[in-house]
Amino acid sequence: MADFTHLSKLDVPTEVTKDYEMVQITINGKSPVLKVLHAGESNKPYFNELLKRGNRNQRQIVAGKITTSLIEDNRDENRKLYAKYVVKGWTDVVDAAGKPAAFTPDTCLEFLEALPDWLFDQVTTFCSDAMNFVGETSLDVGETGNA
């Protein structure tokens, strides 16, 4: 039987945060940086909440009744889940007066709710891509060449 345990190095770590620099905006010469966890199966609390939401919406989706209202509601709920389970800190986030905003889940939610939808969607795209959290995907193992 073949041994493929080396591929486990490609698993997404559960508690490793990555910095997501919001280069799309600059405030006082700096771009906000969110410290985020993977928004996928490796983040069990987030993923479980996502599955619950999917179960609530399943009938409407199966019936092909996807509406802009459903999409907006899902995005709004995702902002809440991100504030609670995905965004774990930040740097260079300031309020309208230019003062540094202390990170708390509540302040994070306020920040995420203030973002335009297109910008929040870019945050979710980064966080849902496992490749952003895995690190090196080039593995060296044992002998190489033809057998």
Side-chain angles (χ1 to χ4, degrees):
M1 188 164 197
D3 178 9
F4 296 105
T5 56
H6 60 289
L7 295 176
S8 67
K9 294 176 184 174
L10 301 175
D11 288 339
V12 178
T14 57
E15 292 299 320
V16 172
T17 60
K18 293 294 180 178
D19 289 348
Y20 176 70
E21 184 176 2
M22 302 179 78
V23 296
Q24 308 87 338
I25 56 175
T26 304
I27 303 169
N28 297 337
K30 296 181 179 179
S31 294
V33 176
L34 304 181
K35 298 189 180 310
V36 296
L37 291 171
H38 178 235
E41 213 171 335
S42 67
N43 185 335
K44 300 289 186 217
Y46 171 77
F47 201 69
N48 285 333
E49 290 295 325
L50 206 60
L51 290 173
K52 287 178 191 174
R53 181 175 72 196
N55 288 337
R56 285 194 308 265
N57 296 332
Q58 184 176 10
R59 188 174 309 144
Q60 194 171 352
I61 293 169
V62 169
K65 295 183 179 181
I66 299 173
T67 63
T68 56
S69 177
L70 177 65
I71 293 169
E72 289 168 3
D73 290 346
N74 280 333
R75 184 183 288 118
D76 289 343
E77 188 164 332
N78 214 17
R79 290 179 203 263
K80 293 173 187 167
L81 296 178
Y82 266 61
K84 191 171 183 180
Y85 300 116
V86 177
V87 182
K88 294 301 178 182
W90 59 34
T91 56
D92 299 324
V93 174
V94 297
D95 64 16
K99 294 181 182 177
F103 179 84
T104 67
D106 290 337
T107 306
C108 181
L109 178 57
E110 291 173 8
F111 176 76
L112 296 176
E113 288 176 337
L115 292 177
D117 292 343
W118 68 266
L119 189 48
F120 179 69
D121 290 346
Q122 290 190 2
V123 172
T124 63
T125 298
F126 176 87
C127 294
S128 63
D129 186 348
M131 286 294 293
N132 291 322
F133 297 87
V134 171
E136 183 60 46
T137 58
S138 177
L139 305 174
D140 291 324
V141 295
E143 293 184 32
T144 59
N146 297 330

Short mmCIF file of all heavy atoms in Angstrom, two decimals, residues 58-83:
data_model
loop_
_atom_site.label_atom_id
_atom_site.label_comp_id
_atom_site.label_asym_id
_atom_site.label_seq_id
_atom_site.Cartn_x
_atom_site.Cartn_y
_atom_site.Cartn_z
N GLN A 58 -31.84 26.26 2.07
CA GLN A 58 -31.82 25.18 1.08
C GLN A 58 -33.09 25.09 0.24
O GLN A 58 -33.02 24.96 -0.98
CB GLN A 58 -31.57 23.85 1.78
CG GLN A 58 -31.44 22.70 0.81
CD GLN A 58 -31.10 21.40 1.53
OE1 GLN A 58 -31.16 21.32 2.74
NE2 GLN A 58 -30.77 20.39 0.76
N ARG A 59 -34.24 25.19 0.85
CA ARG A 59 -35.49 25.05 0.11
C ARG A 59 -35.60 26.13 -0.96
O ARG A 59 -35.98 25.86 -2.10
CB ARG A 59 -36.68 25.14 1.08
CG ARG A 59 -37.99 24.81 0.40
CD ARG A 59 -39.15 24.76 1.38
NE ARG A 59 -38.83 23.89 2.51
CZ ARG A 59 -39.23 24.12 3.76
NH1 ARG A 59 -39.97 25.15 4.04
NH2 ARG A 59 -38.91 23.30 4.72
N GLN A 60 -35.26 27.35 -0.61
CA GLN A 60 -35.34 28.46 -1.56
C GLN A 60 -34.33 28.28 -2.70
O GLN A 60 -34.66 28.52 -3.86
CB GLN A 60 -35.08 29.78 -0.81
CG GLN A 60 -35.46 31.00 -1.57
CD GLN A 60 -35.38 32.26 -0.69
OE1 GLN A 60 -35.17 32.19 0.51
NE2 GLN A 60 -35.53 33.40 -1.31
N ILE A 61 -33.15 27.82 -2.38
CA ILE A 61 -32.12 27.63 -3.40
C ILE A 61 -32.49 26.49 -4.34
O ILE A 61 -32.39 26.62 -5.56
CB ILE A 61 -30.74 27.38 -2.73
CG1 ILE A 61 -30.29 28.65 -2.01
CG2 ILE A 61 -29.71 26.93 -3.75
CD1 ILE A 61 -29.09 28.45 -1.10
N VAL A 62 -32.95 25.36 -3.79
CA VAL A 62 -33.34 24.20 -4.61
C VAL A 62 -34.50 24.58 -5.54
O VAL A 62 -34.55 24.14 -6.69
CB VAL A 62 -33.71 23.00 -3.71
CG1 VAL A 62 -34.37 21.90 -4.52
CG2 VAL A 62 -32.48 22.47 -3.01
N ALA A 63 -35.39 25.44 -5.07
CA ALA A 63 -36.52 25.86 -5.88
C ALA A 63 -36.11 26.89 -6.94
O ALA A 63 -36.94 27.30 -7.75
CB ALA A 63 -37.61 26.44 -4.99
N GLY A 64 -34.85 27.28 -6.93
CA GLY A 64 -34.37 28.25 -7.91
C GLY A 64 -34.87 29.66 -7.63
O GLY A 64 -34.93 30.49 -8.53
N LYS A 65 -35.20 29.92 -6.39
CA LYS A 65 -35.72 31.24 -6.02
C LYS A 65 -34.66 32.07 -5.32
O LYS A 65 -34.87 32.59 -4.22
CB LYS A 65 -36.95 31.08 -5.13
CG LYS A 65 -38.10 30.41 -5.86
CD LYS A 65 -39.33 30.32 -5.01
CE LYS A 65 -40.44 29.66 -5.82
NZ LYS A 65 -41.66 29.54 -5.06
N ILE A 66 -33.52 32.18 -5.97
CA ILE A 66 -32.45 33.02 -5.44
C ILE A 66 -32.75 34.46 -5.85
O ILE A 66 -32.90 34.75 -7.03
CB ILE A 66 -31.08 32.56 -5.97
CG1 ILE A 66 -30.80 31.13 -5.53
CG2 ILE A 66 -29.98 33.50 -5.50
CD1 ILE A 66 -29.57 30.52 -6.12
N THR A 67 -32.83 35.31 -4.86
CA THR A 67 -33.16 36.71 -5.11
C THR A 67 -32.02 37.60 -4.62
O THR A 67 -31.16 37.15 -3.85
CB THR A 67 -34.45 37.10 -4.36
OG1 THR A 67 -34.21 36.97 -2.94
CG2 THR A 67 -35.62 36.21 -4.78
N THR A 68 -32.04 38.84 -5.04
CA THR A 68 -31.04 39.78 -4.54
C THR A 68 -31.18 39.94 -3.03
O THR A 68 -30.18 40.12 -2.33
CB THR A 68 -31.16 41.15 -5.23
OG1 THR A 68 -32.48 41.65 -5.05
CG2 THR A 68 -30.83 41.05 -6.71
N SER A 69 -32.39 39.83 -2.54
CA SER A 69 -32.61 39.93 -1.10
C SER A 69 -31.93 38.78 -0.36
O SER A 69 -31.32 38.99 0.69
CB SER A 69 -34.11 39.92 -0.81
OG SER A 69 -34.35 39.94 0.57
N LEU A 70 -32.01 37.57 -0.90
CA LEU A 70 -31.35 36.42 -0.29
C LEU A 70 -29.84 36.62 -0.28
O LEU A 70 -29.17 36.35 0.73
CB LEU A 70 -31.71 35.13 -1.03
CG LEU A 70 -31.03 33.85 -0.54
CD1 LEU A 70 -31.49 33.51 0.87
CD2 LEU A 70 -31.33 32.70 -1.48
N ILE A 71 -29.29 37.11 -1.38
CA ILE A 71 -27.85 37.35 -1.46
C ILE A 71 -27.43 38.42 -0.46
O ILE A 71 -26.43 38.27 0.26
CB ILE A 71 -27.45 37.75 -2.90
CG1 ILE A 71 -27.64 36.54 -3.82
CG2 ILE A 71 -26.01 38.25 -2.96
CD1 ILE A 71 -27.53 36.84 -5.29
N GLU A 72 -28.19 39.49 -0.36
CA GLU A 72 -27.89 40.56 0.60
C GLU A 72 -27.98 40.05 2.04
O GLU A 72 -27.12 40.37 2.86
CB GLU A 72 -28.84 41.74 0.39
CG GLU A 72 -28.58 42.50 -0.89
CD GLU A 72 -29.70 43.49 -1.23
OE1 GLU A 72 -30.66 43.62 -0.43
OE2 GLU A 72 -29.61 44.11 -2.30
N ASP A 73 -29.00 39.25 2.34
CA ASP A 73 -29.15 38.70 3.68
C ASP A 73 -27.97 37.79 4.02
O ASP A 73 -27.45 37.82 5.15
CB ASP A 73 -30.46 37.92 3.82
CG ASP A 73 -31.68 38.82 3.80
OD1 ASP A 73 -31.53 40.06 3.94
OD2 ASP A 73 -32.81 38.28 3.63
N ASN A 74 -27.55 36.96 3.07
CA ASN A 74 -26.42 36.06 3.30
C ASN A 74 -25.13 36.86 3.52
O ASN A 74 -24.33 36.51 4.39
CB ASN A 74 -26.24 35.09 2.13
CG ASN A 74 -27.21 33.93 2.23
OD1 ASN A 74 -27.64 33.56 3.31
ND2 ASN A 74 -27.55 33.36 1.09
N ARG A 75 -24.95 37.92 2.75
CA ARG A 75 -23.75 38.74 2.92
C ARG A 75 -23.76 39.41 4.29
O ARG A 75 -22.74 39.44 4.99
CB ARG A 75 -23.62 39.79 1.82
CG ARG A 75 -22.33 40.59 1.92
CD ARG A 75 -22.22 41.68 0.89
NE ARG A 75 -21.98 41.15 -0.44
CZ ARG A 75 -22.82 41.30 -1.47
NH1 ARG A 75 -23.95 41.97 -1.34
NH2 ARG A 75 -22.52 40.80 -2.66
N ASP A 76 -24.91 39.93 4.68
CA ASP A 76 -25.02 40.58 5.99
C ASP A 76 -24.75 39.60 7.13
O ASP A 76 -24.06 39.93 8.10
CB ASP A 76 -26.40 41.22 6.17
CG ASP A 76 -26.58 42.45 5.29
OD1 ASP A 76 -25.57 43.01 4.79
OD2 ASP A 76 -27.75 42.86 5.09
N GLU A 77 -25.27 38.39 7.00
CA GLU A 77 -25.01 37.39 8.03
C GLU A 77 -23.55 36.97 8.01
O GLU A 77 -22.95 36.73 9.06
CB GLU A 77 -25.91 36.16 7.84
CG GLU A 77 -25.78 35.21 9.02
CD GLU A 77 -26.90 34.20 9.11
OE1 GLU A 77 -28.01 34.48 8.64
OE2 GLU A 77 -26.64 33.11 9.65
N ASN A 78 -22.94 36.92 6.83
CA ASN A 78 -21.53 36.57 6.73
C ASN A 78 -20.66 37.62 7.41
O ASN A 78 -19.64 37.29 8.01
CB ASN A 78 -21.13 36.38 5.27
CG ASN A 78 -20.08 35.31 5.09
OD1 ASN A 78 -19.86 34.48 5.97
ND2 ASN A 78 -19.43 35.33 3.96
N ARG A 79 -21.04 38.88 7.33
CA ARG A 79 -20.30 39.93 8.04
C ARG A 79 -20.27 39.62 9.54
O ARG A 79 -19.24 39.78 10.20
CB ARG A 79 -20.93 41.30 7.79
CG ARG A 79 -20.76 41.81 6.37
CD ARG A 79 -21.45 43.17 6.23
NE ARG A 79 -21.80 43.49 4.86
CZ ARG A 79 -21.07 44.25 4.04
NH1 ARG A 79 -19.94 44.77 4.44
NH2 ARG A 79 -21.49 44.49 2.82
N LYS A 80 -21.40 39.20 10.08
CA LYS A 80 -21.48 38.86 11.50
C LYS A 80 -20.59 37.66 11.83
O LYS A 80 -19.88 37.65 12.84
CB LYS A 80 -22.92 38.57 11.90
CG LYS A 80 -23.81 39.78 11.83
CD LYS A 80 -25.27 39.41 12.07
CE LYS A 80 -26.14 40.62 11.82
NZ LYS A 80 -27.56 40.28 11.74
N LEU A 81 -20.62 36.65 10.96
CA LEU A 81 -19.79 35.47 11.18
C LEU A 81 -18.30 35.80 11.07
O LEU A 81 -17.49 35.28 11.84
CB LEU A 81 -20.16 34.36 10.19
CG LEU A 81 -21.58 33.79 10.31
CD1 LEU A 81 -21.81 32.74 9.23
CD2 LEU A 81 -21.83 33.23 11.70
N TYR A 82 -17.94 36.66 10.14
CA TYR A 82 -16.55 37.07 10.00
C TYR A 82 -16.07 37.81 11.24
O TYR A 82 -14.97 37.59 11.73
CB TYR A 82 -16.35 37.92 8.74
CG TYR A 82 -15.91 37.11 7.55
CD1 TYR A 82 -16.72 36.09 7.05
CD2 TYR A 82 -14.71 37.35 6.92
CE1 TYR A 82 -16.32 35.34 5.97
CE2 TYR A 82 -14.30 36.59 5.84
CZ TYR A 82 -15.11 35.59 5.37
OH TYR A 82 -14.70 34.83 4.31
N ALA A 83 -16.90 38.71 11.76
CA ALA A 83 -16.53 39.45 12.96
C ALA A 83 -16.34 38.52 14.15
O ALA A 83 -15.49 38.76 15.02
CB ALA A 83 -17.58 40.51 13.27
#
